[in-house]
Amino acid sequence: MQPIIVKSMKVFTTNQSLHPCLASLKTPASSLGFVPTMGALHQGHLSLIKRAIKENETVVVSIFVNPTQFNNAGDLETYPRDLKQDLKKIESIGSLGEIIVYAPSEAAVYGNSVTKEAFDFGGLELQMEGKFRPGHFQGVGTVVQKLLDIVGPNQAYFGEKDFQQLQIIKKLVKMTKANVKIVACSIEREPSGLAMSSRNIRLTTGERSHASKIYEALKMTKDKFSDTPLDEITQWVADQFEKDAIINLEYFEISEQLTLQPANKIEPQKKYRAFISAYIRNIRLIDN
Ligand code: AMP
């Protein structure tokens, strides 16, 4: 394996210090990649950062727990935060390029008004996560728009782990005519199949084995999809979760990939994706 050389990593917490640095690095030909995160970084985040490093001269990673996308105060409070560890993890990637970490305060992003915009994403925001986390995507849209304005990247990287969010960000960029390419990155998983998530660290070892039920159900759905009626698949998934006292299914949905409308009948020219949200205690896990 080739040795990895860390050229440099700079950390900024204010826009006043970030902007001169970005201005000094940007040439008309150079490309700036952006990876927005809420920290508590894991291999899923690192895979986005690595891809951004490959595809851009400079990469900005933001670490900001966005208050306006939490519809549950307890979830916001218990969301893991550890900037020191996050910086170590980013440093461990190494890079021949420039990595800039932007870890702003609430005031740097929102000024003195921590409010969300009432975006209409054409119905994308009303399905699944939108139904169960009212206002969530308004908060996501608000912070992503603000961060894109602050950073001004050529390309921004988002994980398919949050597939509905990814579709909404693409829509946001179209609606606002923002000059940025949205790059979709595949889901990183634990060996058990459990999708990596910042929330996983709150699971006990025993709970982790129950959490892998989510991936098993999605895999079976894929296998059954071509020859089993949708309502039978849905019932089968519900039954699997019913049998498990540790994990509680919040929703299972097979949706058309672009509109995220629930699939009623399958049209061969369209693509479909299955989505699950489930709880272990108060820990909410999503996958697709
Ligand atoms: P978060 O910190 O949860 O807001 O996530 C920041 C970005 O990382 C989002 O674009 C997520 O979709 C992405 N991400 C989170 N978990 C994973 C994963 N397991 N695989 C790939 N991307 C992920």
Side-chain angles (χ1 to χ4, degrees), residues 36-39 42 44-45 47-48 79 157-162 165 186-188 195-196 198:
T37 82
M38 297 206 298
H42 50 68
H45 297 114
S47 70
L48 268 59
Y79 200 85
Y157 294 77
F158 290 87
E160 288 186 342
K161 159 79 167 41
D162 301 282
Q165 168 175 284
S186 53
I187 303 173
E188 292 290 312
M196 288 181 177
S198 303

Side-chain angles (χ1 to χ4, degrees), residues 29-42:
S30 73
S31 166
L32 178 63
F34 178 42
V35 183
T37 82
M38 297 206 298
L41 300 181
H42 50 68

Side-chain angles (χ1 to χ4, degrees), residues 170-204:
K170 284 183 180 167
K171 177 85 179 178
L172 171 77
V173 164
K174 236 187 219 164
M175 280 163 41
T176 58
K177 300 189 173 67
N179 189 17
V180 56
K181 182 181 163 201
I182 301 303
V183 182
C185 302
S186 53
I187 303 173
E188 292 290 312
R189 299 179 177 282
E190 310 271 359
S192 68
L194 174 64
M196 288 181 177
S197 162
S198 303
R199 292 185 166 94
N200 292 357
I201 55 175
R202 296 182 55 213
L203 297 169
T204 64

Side-chain angles (χ1 to χ4, degrees), residues 22-32 57 154:
L22 288 179
S24 73
L25 288 170
K26 224 175 171 182
T27 67
S30 73
S31 166
L32 178 63
E57 278 80 24
N154 303 97

Side-chain angles (χ1 to χ4, degrees), residues 128 160 163-164 218 249 251-257 260 272-277 287-288:
M128 301 182 288
E160 288 186 342
F163 192 82
Q164 188 173 8
L218 290 170
L249 183 66
Y251 65 74
F252 169 76
E253 194 99 68
I254 298 177
S255 308
E256 197 272 314
Q257 206 168 247
L260 299 180
Y272 296 88
R273 199 172 269 258
F275 298 83
I276 284 182
S277 162
D287 198 356
N288 64 89

